[in-house]
Amino acid sequence: MKYDVVVMGGGLAGLMSGIRLTQSGLSCAIVSAGQNALHFSSGSLDLLTHLPNGQVAEKPLEMLDALKEQAPAHPYSLIGKTQVTELAHMAQSILQQAGVHLKGSCEENHYRITPLGHKRMTWLSPESVPTVGLHHKMDVSKIAVVGIEGFLDFQPQMVADELQREGLQATSHYVHLPLLDRLRENPSEFRAVNVARWLDRPENMAQMVAEISPLVTDAEAIFMPACIGLDSDEPLHELQMSLGKPLFLLPTLPPSLLGIRLHEMLLRQFRRQGGIVMPGDKVTAVNCVNGRIESVQTRNHGDISLKAKHFVLATGSFFNNGLVAEFDRVYEPLMQLDLCEISERAKWTNKEFFASQPYMAFGVKTDEKLRAQKEGKAISNLYVAGAVLGGFDPLTQGCGAGVSIISALYAANEIINELSKNKTMQVEVAQ
């Protein structure tokens, strides 16, 4: 099987690079081993919230020069301020084209309300998630936080208490929905995705409205756990219209409905544009000759190789086994690629639990074009994108999703430009 590009990894970075590549008319296959980190995410996307020294980045694009001074190996620093800015705007456009309705701007971060009621800075958030602008107060002051009886992944009292500390009038309630009694019998099945499969059914809407309405008569807005709208926003919109009040969703513990929705919408867009997905598969061997990959083999295809002109490594970090840590070493398991400088074992972690953890910045070392390196030399047609990259801390710097998206689009553009250049040269030779 032959493609223009093979992408190894079907998470946020793999899908965004695949969408950009197929958008440009290239043939692209994504080899996806299985569930990815998006299923565990809030559905919101961070670009940059803090510099390595702890300084808050309210306007992330304006902080890129300072970031480069403090972290020259950060993927944003390698890509450059101009391109990061262009790619951030491109990302917003691509997400919109894919039908992913998000609010926010790369020009200035905003706050989203977390499942604990706290405010967390971010770049883009689902339209259904409650948000507030920087240095602003929430538009509503009377909020009813409604939980579902027996659903342990969301505690309305904790959310209401935190909102009250912010000066809002928040009350907490539990709603008993008999239609969920079957799920309550097995706590392991009483999760957001399973709940949504019941609540999304049109025949159950009247029961939800009848149960919730008496609890929210004095509220200006309603906060609920994200347990409705698994496949579309229609059930949420219908419930909101029936209640006659703004209704917002807060992400729950994984598996996260909002994260799953984002993944499924990106996956559909990739397929709509002609992309091929190989789910439940994994690259097992790479044929690299003279610093260039010629083909890869996968678990499901046996002796049948996947050939391509270019490859993208987007296998994720430790969570997805894109990186592997043993007691005294960290390595990239597929090709034993060079990694960013890794300190001695005793310095991998910080004793302060909430401090930046050094191991979070471990990852594959690249050249300035994000091409993977092996034994100090760049592999000319292997680009690296997403969490498998080194040089950044996605948690304390608030840039995990942003690095995945920006690096994916950068790698895709490099490939598009390279193939376009080769095609032009071939035409000139033919003439």
Side-chain angles (χ1 to χ4, degrees), residues 84-301:
V84 170
T85 301
E86 292 176 358
L87 295 172
H89 285 98
M90 177 186 288
Q92 293 175 181
S93 176
I94 288 176
L95 290 166
Q96 187 175 16
Q97 292 167 17
V100 182
H101 303 301
L102 301 171
K103 50 188 172 182
S105 168
C106 56
E107 305 296 339
E108 183 175 82
N109 286 320
H110 64 270
Y111 289 117
R112 66 176 175 89
I113 307 302
T114 73
L116 298 179
H118 296 100
K119 292 190 297 185
R120 179 178 171 83
M121 194 178 290
T122 192
W123 167 28
L124 298 170
S125 293
E127 289 185 342
S128 59
V129 170
T131 59
V132 58
L134 301 182
H135 314 296
H136 289 79
K137 293 184 178 180
M138 203 168 292
D139 294 336
V140 293
S141 58
K142 294 182 179 180
I143 301 170
V145 185
V146 181
I148 299 172
E149 190 175 301
F151 183 64
L152 302 180
D153 294 350
F154 181 80
Q155 303 297 323
Q157 186 61 57
M158 295 178 66
V159 178
D161 288 347
E162 186 60 34
L163 294 176
Q164 288 172 11
R165 281 190 278 271
E166 290 285 333
L168 301 169
Q169 298 179 46
T171 56
S172 63
H173 310 273
Y174 278 100
V175 60
H176 178 78
L177 298 172
L179 61 96
L180 298 177
D181 285 346
R182 185 180 299 177
L183 288 179
R184 287 192 184 87
E185 295 173 2
N186 188 344
S188 65
E189 292 185 7
F190 207 9
R191 293 291 181 259
V193 175
N194 293 332
V195 171
R197 292 193 176 102
W198 285 89
L199 300 188
D200 286 356
R201 297 181 180 181
E203 63 268 24
N204 294 328
M205 183 61 62
Q207 185 181 138
M208 282 194 291
V209 174
E211 295 284 344
I212 297 173
S213 291
L215 305 176
V216 300
T217 52
D218 296 331
E220 297 174 358
I222 306 166
F223 287 6
M224 288 185 65
C227 295
I228 185 170
L230 179 59
D231 297 318
S232 76
D233 289 325
E234 289 306 311
L236 175 63
H237 292 158
E238 185 178 345
L239 180 58
Q240 183 172 257
M241 288 180 62
S242 299
L243 294 172
K245 299 176 186 290
L247 174 62
F248 298 97
L249 301 180
L250 296 176
T252 65
L253 292 176
S256 164
L257 181 144
L258 295 174
I260 292 172
R261 278 280 312 274
L262 175 59
H263 174 260
E264 290 302 315
M265 295 179 82
L266 293 176
L267 187 60
R268 280 198 292 268
Q269 181 70 3
F270 176 66
R271 283 175 166 154
R272 271 197 299 265
Q273 294 178 175
I276 302 296
V277 180
M278 300 176 182
D281 205 354
K282 183 180 181 181
V283 174
T284 56
V286 178
N287 179 25
C288 188
V289 179
N290 296 325
R292 186 175 181 85
I293 297 178
E294 294 188 349
S295 64
V296 298
Q297 289 181 296
T298 73
R299 180 175 55 202
N300 293 350
H301 288 83

Side-chain angles (χ1 to χ4, degrees), residues 300-359:
N300 293 350
H301 288 83
D303 295 333
I304 301 174
S305 297
L306 305 183
K307 298 179 181 179
K309 299 169 186 173
H310 292 274
F311 295 82
V312 177
L313 183 72
T315 47
S317 187
F318 299 103
F319 179 81
N320 304 94
N321 293 319
L323 297 174
V324 176
E326 295 180 348
F327 180 77
D328 58 351
R329 70 170 183 140
V330 176
Y331 62 97
E332 188 280 317
L334 190 57
M335 296 182 64
Q336 301 290 323
L337 297 171
D338 295 349
L339 302 184
C340 293
E341 184 175 346
I342 297 175
S343 58
E344 60 189 63
R345 177 65 179 83
K347 297 181 180 179
W348 288 5
T349 58
N350 192 318
K351 292 182 180 180
E352 295 295 328
F353 184 77
F354 292 105
S356 178
Q357 299 295 330
Y359 74 88

Side-chain angles (χ1 to χ4, degrees), residues 6-24:
V6 169
V7 178
M8 296 171 272
L12 182 58
L15 285 170
M16 287 298 288
S17 62
I19 289 172
R20 176 67 182 126
L21 291 164
T22 52
Q23 185 184 61
S24 298

